[in-house]
Amino acid sequence: MATITLRVLDGADRGKVFEDIEVPVTIGREEGNTIQLNDERISRFHLKIQKDHDDLVLTDLESTNGSKVNNEDVQLRILRHGDLITVGRSTLIFGTRVEINERLERLSAANKVDAIEPGSKPSAEKLAVKNDWKDDPNYQLALLDLDPPKLPERLSPGQAAQLSEMIEFLHMHIRRVVADVEIDKQKKRVELTAEQWQKVLDVQARLAEYLRRISNP
């Protein structure tokens, strides 16, 4: 049976540690939840964490104020050690210190191919992981850069074809914008026309729609 550890970083229950809890786990403000938090902005039954094959999946249970992972609103999210879960005024970190450090060490080792040149400054992404990563608003992006999400497995041929078609559609739109941008080498800037910028916004809007439809099938 899979077990997880959640530690409360902020909120009325700050400092509490819920260690080696068997999944599925529910979090909410009422009795009957695996983890009951003292927070009036948390729904009676706010979210659920369950195992799906090799992944641990967080699902928001149609809560009033929603759930966030690494400062991003989510309905469904695969959890990884070090992820920050925000519900109401409470923030929890997923994983033990050992599990989180093991992940960061693995990411740092995998990232050594991008070693910093002597005298140069490390990128914001590297700093976000190595230093005050818990307080960095780009924490999620930094970890995704180093540990990008994997493609779903066990897809049927039809599902794989649909996913391929969706990614190809987005790729073509982004490729068109990239091909048309103007690069000012002297100012080290890339300039987009208003029309190109609208194309980028349209791609973002489509992605937002896809995310909502996937989360609420």
Side-chain angles (χ1 to χ4, degrees), residues 174-207:
I174 294 173
R175 182 178 61 189
R176 185 181 304 167
V177 173
V178 171
D180 292 340
V181 297
E182 296 183 5
I183 302 175
D184 189 330
K185 294 183 179 180
Q186 291 184 340
K187 295 182 180 180
K188 296 182 179 180
R189 295 174 57 183
V190 175
E191 297 183 356
L192 280 73
T193 65
E195 182 181 357
Q196 292 165 338
W197 178 242
Q198 287 301 318
K199 289 180 180 178
V200 173
L201 294 179
D202 183 64
V203 170
Q204 183 181 13
R206 289 182 184 274
L207 286 170

Short mmCIF file of all heavy atoms in Angstrom, two decimals, residues 174-207:
data_model
loop_
_atom_site.label_atom_id
_atom_site.label_comp_id
_atom_site.label_asym_id
_atom_site.label_seq_id
_atom_site.Cartn_x
_atom_site.Cartn_y
_atom_site.Cartn_z
N ILE A 174 2.68 27.59 -32.87
CA ILE A 174 3.86 28.21 -32.27
C ILE A 174 4.98 28.35 -33.29
O ILE A 174 5.68 29.36 -33.35
CB ILE A 174 4.31 27.38 -31.05
CG1 ILE A 174 3.24 27.44 -29.95
CG2 ILE A 174 5.65 27.90 -30.51
CD1 ILE A 174 3.52 26.53 -28.78
N ARG A 175 5.16 27.32 -34.14
CA ARG A 175 6.20 27.36 -35.17
C ARG A 175 5.98 28.52 -36.12
O ARG A 175 6.93 29.19 -36.54
CB ARG A 175 6.22 26.04 -35.94
CG ARG A 175 7.32 25.96 -37.02
CD ARG A 175 7.29 24.62 -37.69
NE ARG A 175 6.02 24.38 -38.37
CZ ARG A 175 5.68 23.21 -38.90
NH1 ARG A 175 6.49 22.17 -38.81
NH2 ARG A 175 4.50 23.07 -39.50
N ARG A 176 4.71 28.80 -36.45
CA ARG A 176 4.40 29.90 -37.36
C ARG A 176 4.79 31.24 -36.75
O ARG A 176 5.37 32.10 -37.41
CB ARG A 176 2.91 29.89 -37.69
CG ARG A 176 2.50 30.92 -38.74
CD ARG A 176 1.01 30.84 -39.00
NE ARG A 176 0.61 29.50 -39.39
CZ ARG A 176 -0.65 29.08 -39.44
NH1 ARG A 176 -1.62 29.92 -39.08
NH2 ARG A 176 -0.95 27.86 -39.80
N VAL A 177 4.52 31.40 -35.45
CA VAL A 177 4.89 32.65 -34.78
C VAL A 177 6.41 32.79 -34.71
O VAL A 177 6.97 33.85 -35.01
CB VAL A 177 4.29 32.71 -33.36
CG1 VAL A 177 4.82 33.91 -32.60
CG2 VAL A 177 2.77 32.76 -33.44
N VAL A 178 7.09 31.70 -34.33
CA VAL A 178 8.55 31.74 -34.21
C VAL A 178 9.20 32.07 -35.55
O VAL A 178 10.18 32.82 -35.62
CB VAL A 178 9.07 30.38 -33.67
CG1 VAL A 178 10.60 30.32 -33.75
CG2 VAL A 178 8.62 30.18 -32.23
N ALA A 179 8.65 31.53 -36.63
CA ALA A 179 9.23 31.76 -37.95
C ALA A 179 9.08 33.20 -38.40
O ALA A 179 9.89 33.71 -39.19
CB ALA A 179 8.58 30.82 -38.97
N ASP A 180 8.05 33.90 -37.90
CA ASP A 180 7.76 35.26 -38.37
C ASP A 180 8.32 36.37 -37.48
O ASP A 180 8.29 37.53 -37.87
CB ASP A 180 6.24 35.45 -38.49
CG ASP A 180 5.64 34.59 -39.60
OD1 ASP A 180 6.41 34.17 -40.48
OD2 ASP A 180 4.42 34.35 -39.57
N VAL A 181 8.82 36.04 -36.31
CA VAL A 181 9.30 37.10 -35.41
C VAL A 181 10.56 37.75 -35.97
O VAL A 181 11.32 37.15 -36.73
CB VAL A 181 9.59 36.55 -34.00
CG1 VAL A 181 8.34 36.02 -33.36
CG2 VAL A 181 10.69 35.51 -34.03
N GLU A 182 10.76 39.00 -35.58
CA GLU A 182 11.95 39.73 -35.98
C GLU A 182 12.91 39.80 -34.79
O GLU A 182 12.52 40.11 -33.67
CB GLU A 182 11.58 41.14 -36.43
CG GLU A 182 10.71 41.16 -37.68
CD GLU A 182 10.43 42.57 -38.15
OE1 GLU A 182 10.99 43.51 -37.54
OE2 GLU A 182 9.65 42.72 -39.10
N ILE A 183 14.18 39.52 -35.08
CA ILE A 183 15.20 39.50 -34.03
C ILE A 183 16.11 40.71 -34.19
O ILE A 183 16.71 40.91 -35.25
CB ILE A 183 16.03 38.20 -34.08
CG1 ILE A 183 15.11 36.98 -33.93
CG2 ILE A 183 17.11 38.21 -33.01
CD1 ILE A 183 15.83 35.66 -34.09
N ASP A 184 16.22 41.51 -33.16
CA ASP A 184 17.12 42.65 -33.13
C ASP A 184 18.39 42.21 -32.39
O ASP A 184 18.41 42.16 -31.16
CB ASP A 184 16.47 43.84 -32.42
CG ASP A 184 17.30 45.12 -32.55
OD1 ASP A 184 18.53 45.01 -32.65
OD2 ASP A 184 16.70 46.21 -32.55
N LYS A 185 19.42 41.86 -33.13
CA LYS A 185 20.63 41.30 -32.53
C LYS A 185 21.37 42.33 -31.69
O LYS A 185 22.05 41.98 -30.71
CB LYS A 185 21.54 40.73 -33.61
CG LYS A 185 20.95 39.52 -34.32
CD LYS A 185 21.92 38.94 -35.33
CE LYS A 185 21.33 37.71 -36.01
NZ LYS A 185 22.24 37.11 -37.01
N GLN A 186 21.29 43.61 -32.08
CA GLN A 186 21.99 44.63 -31.31
C GLN A 186 21.38 44.82 -29.93
O GLN A 186 22.09 44.93 -28.93
CB GLN A 186 21.99 45.96 -32.08
CG GLN A 186 22.85 45.94 -33.34
CD GLN A 186 22.91 47.30 -34.02
OE1 GLN A 186 22.04 48.14 -33.78
NE2 GLN A 186 23.93 47.51 -34.84
N LYS A 187 20.07 44.88 -29.88
CA LYS A 187 19.38 45.06 -28.60
C LYS A 187 19.11 43.73 -27.90
O LYS A 187 18.62 43.72 -26.77
CB LYS A 187 18.06 45.81 -28.82
CG LYS A 187 18.24 47.22 -29.33
CD LYS A 187 16.88 47.91 -29.48
CE LYS A 187 17.04 49.33 -29.98
NZ LYS A 187 15.71 50.01 -30.13
N LYS A 188 19.40 42.63 -28.60
CA LYS A 188 19.15 41.30 -28.06
C LYS A 188 17.68 41.15 -27.66
O LYS A 188 17.34 40.70 -26.56
CB LYS A 188 20.05 41.01 -26.86
CG LYS A 188 21.53 40.99 -27.21
CD LYS A 188 22.39 40.65 -26.00
CE LYS A 188 23.86 40.61 -26.37
NZ LYS A 188 24.71 40.29 -25.21
N ARG A 189 16.82 41.57 -28.60
CA ARG A 189 15.39 41.49 -28.36
C ARG A 189 14.69 40.79 -29.51
O ARG A 189 15.16 40.81 -30.65
CB ARG A 189 14.79 42.89 -28.20
CG ARG A 189 15.28 43.65 -26.99
CD ARG A 189 14.75 45.07 -26.97
NE ARG A 189 13.29 45.12 -27.02
CZ ARG A 189 12.60 46.25 -27.09
NH1 ARG A 189 13.22 47.41 -27.12
NH2 ARG A 189 11.27 46.21 -27.13
N VAL A 190 13.57 40.17 -29.19
CA VAL A 190 12.71 39.57 -30.21
C VAL A 190 11.41 40.36 -30.22
O VAL A 190 10.79 40.57 -29.17
CB VAL A 190 12.42 38.09 -29.88
CG1 VAL A 190 11.42 37.52 -30.87
CG2 VAL A 190 13.71 37.27 -29.91
N GLU A 191 11.02 40.84 -31.39
CA GLU A 191 9.83 41.68 -31.50
C GLU A 191 8.71 40.93 -32.23
O GLU A 191 8.93 40.30 -33.25
CB GLU A 191 10.17 42.97 -32.25
CG GLU A 191 11.19 43.83 -31.51
CD GLU A 191 11.45 45.15 -32.22
OE1 GLU A 191 10.90 45.34 -33.32
OE2 GLU A 191 12.21 45.97 -31.67
N LEU A 192 7.51 41.05 -31.67
CA LEU A 192 6.33 40.44 -32.26
C LEU A 192 5.36 41.55 -32.67
O LEU A 192 5.23 42.56 -31.98
CB LEU A 192 5.61 39.51 -31.27
CG LEU A 192 6.17 38.10 -31.06
CD1 LEU A 192 7.45 38.14 -30.25
CD2 LEU A 192 5.14 37.23 -30.35
N THR A 193 4.70 41.34 -33.77
CA THR A 193 3.65 42.26 -34.18
C THR A 193 2.42 42.00 -33.32
O THR A 193 2.32 40.97 -32.63
CB THR A 193 3.28 42.07 -35.65
OG1 THR A 193 2.72 40.77 -35.82
CG2 THR A 193 4.51 42.23 -36.54
N ALA A 194 1.46 42.91 -33.37
CA ALA A 194 0.21 42.72 -32.62
C ALA A 194 -0.50 41.45 -33.06
O ALA A 194 -1.07 40.71 -32.25
CB ALA A 194 -0.69 43.93 -32.81
N GLU A 195 -0.44 41.15 -34.35
CA GLU A 195 -1.09 39.94 -34.87
C GLU A 195 -0.40 38.69 -34.33
O GLU A 195 -1.06 37.71 -33.94
CB GLU A 195 -1.03 39.94 -36.40
CG GLU A 195 -1.74 38.73 -37.03
CD GLU A 195 -1.67 38.74 -38.54
OE1 GLU A 195 -1.12 39.73 -39.10
OE2 GLU A 195 -2.14 37.77 -39.15
N GLN A 196 0.94 38.70 -34.30
CA GLN A 196 1.67 37.55 -33.77
C GLN A 196 1.39 37.35 -32.29
O GLN A 196 1.23 36.22 -31.81
CB GLN A 196 3.18 37.75 -34.01
CG GLN A 196 3.57 37.68 -35.47
CD GLN A 196 4.97 38.22 -35.70
OE1 GLN A 196 5.49 38.99 -34.91
NE2 GLN A 196 5.57 37.83 -36.81
N TRP A 197 1.32 38.46 -31.56
CA TRP A 197 1.03 38.38 -30.13
C TRP A 197 -0.36 37.79 -29.89
O TRP A 197 -0.55 36.98 -28.98
CB TRP A 197 1.14 39.76 -29.51
CG TRP A 197 0.82 39.83 -28.05
CD1 TRP A 197 -0.17 40.53 -27.45
CD2 TRP A 197 1.51 39.14 -27.00
NE1 TRP A 197 -0.15 40.34 -26.09
CE2 TRP A 197 0.86 39.49 -25.77
CE3 TRP A 197 2.59 38.26 -26.95
CZ2 TRP A 197 1.28 38.99 -24.55
CZ3 TRP A 197 3.00 37.77 -25.72
CH2 TRP A 197 2.34 38.13 -24.55
N GLN A 198 -1.32 38.15 -30.72
CA GLN A 198 -2.66 37.60 -30.61
C GLN A 198 -2.67 36.10 -30.87
O GLN A 198 -3.43 35.35 -30.25
CB GLN A 198 -3.62 38.32 -31.56
CG GLN A 198 -3.98 39.72 -31.14
CD GLN A 198 -4.65 39.76 -29.77
OE1 GLN A 198 -5.49 38.93 -29.46
NE2 GLN A 198 -4.24 40.72 -28.95
N LYS A 199 -1.79 35.64 -31.78
CA LYS A 199 -1.68 34.20 -32.04
C LYS A 199 -1.17 33.46 -30.80
O LYS A 199 -1.63 32.37 -30.47
CB LYS A 199 -0.78 33.95 -33.24
CG LYS A 199 -1.37 34.37 -34.57
CD LYS A 199 -0.39 34.10 -35.71
CE LYS A 199 -0.99 34.51 -37.04
NZ LYS A 199 -0.03 34.30 -38.17
N VAL A 200 -0.18 34.07 -30.13
CA VAL A 200 0.35 33.46 -28.92
C VAL A 200 -0.74 33.39 -27.85
O VAL A 200 -0.91 32.36 -27.17
CB VAL A 200 1.57 34.26 -28.39
CG1 VAL A 200 2.01 33.72 -27.03
CG2 VAL A 200 2.72 34.19 -29.38
N LEU A 201 -1.48 34.48 -27.70
CA LEU A 201 -2.57 34.49 -26.72
C LEU A 201 -3.64 33.47 -27.06
O LEU A 201 -4.24 32.86 -26.16
CB LEU A 201 -3.17 35.90 -26.64
CG LEU A 201 -2.27 37.00 -26.10
CD1 LEU A 201 -3.01 38.34 -26.10
CD2 LEU A 201 -1.77 36.67 -24.70
N ASP A 202 -3.90 33.28 -28.35
CA ASP A 202 -4.90 32.31 -28.77
C ASP A 202 -4.46 30.89 -28.41
O ASP A 202 -5.28 30.07 -27.97
CB ASP A 202 -5.15 32.41 -30.28
CG ASP A 202 -6.25 31.46 -30.73
OD1 ASP A 202 -7.39 31.63 -30.29
OD2 ASP A 202 -5.94 30.54 -31.51
N VAL A 203 -3.16 30.61 -28.58
CA VAL A 203 -2.64 29.29 -28.20
C VAL A 203 -2.80 29.09 -26.70
O VAL A 203 -3.21 28.02 -26.24
CB VAL A 203 -1.15 29.14 -28.62
CG1 VAL A 203 -0.56 27.88 -28.01
CG2 VAL A 203 -1.03 29.09 -30.14
N GLN A 204 -2.47 30.11 -25.91
CA GLN A 204 -2.63 30.01 -24.46
C GLN A 204 -4.10 29.77 -24.09
O GLN A 204 -4.41 28.97 -23.20
CB GLN A 204 -2.11 31.26 -23.77
CG GLN A 204 -2.19 31.17 -22.25
CD GLN A 204 -1.70 32.43 -21.57
OE1 GLN A 204 -1.52 33.46 -22.20
NE2 GLN A 204 -1.48 32.35 -20.27
N ALA A 205 -5.00 30.48 -24.77
CA ALA A 205 -6.43 30.31 -24.49
C ALA A 205 -6.88 28.88 -24.81
O ALA A 205 -7.67 28.29 -24.06
CB ALA A 205 -7.23 31.32 -25.30
N ARG A 206 -6.41 28.35 -25.94
CA ARG A 206 -6.78 26.98 -26.30
C ARG A 206 -6.26 25.98 -25.27
O ARG A 206 -6.95 25.02 -24.90
CB ARG A 206 -6.25 26.64 -27.70
CG ARG A 206 -6.99 27.36 -28.83
CD ARG A 206 -6.45 26.95 -30.18
NE ARG A 206 -7.07 27.71 -31.26
CZ ARG A 206 -8.22 27.37 -31.84
NH1 ARG A 206 -8.85 26.28 -31.42
NH2 ARG A 206 -8.73 28.09 -32.81
N LEU A 207 -5.03 26.20 -24.80
CA LEU A 207 -4.47 25.31 -23.79
C LEU A 207 -5.29 25.37 -22.51
O LEU A 207 -5.53 24.35 -21.86
CB LEU A 207 -3.01 25.69 -23.50
CG LEU A 207 -2.00 25.29 -24.58
CD1 LEU A 207 -0.65 25.93 -24.31
CD2 LEU A 207 -1.85 23.77 -24.63
#
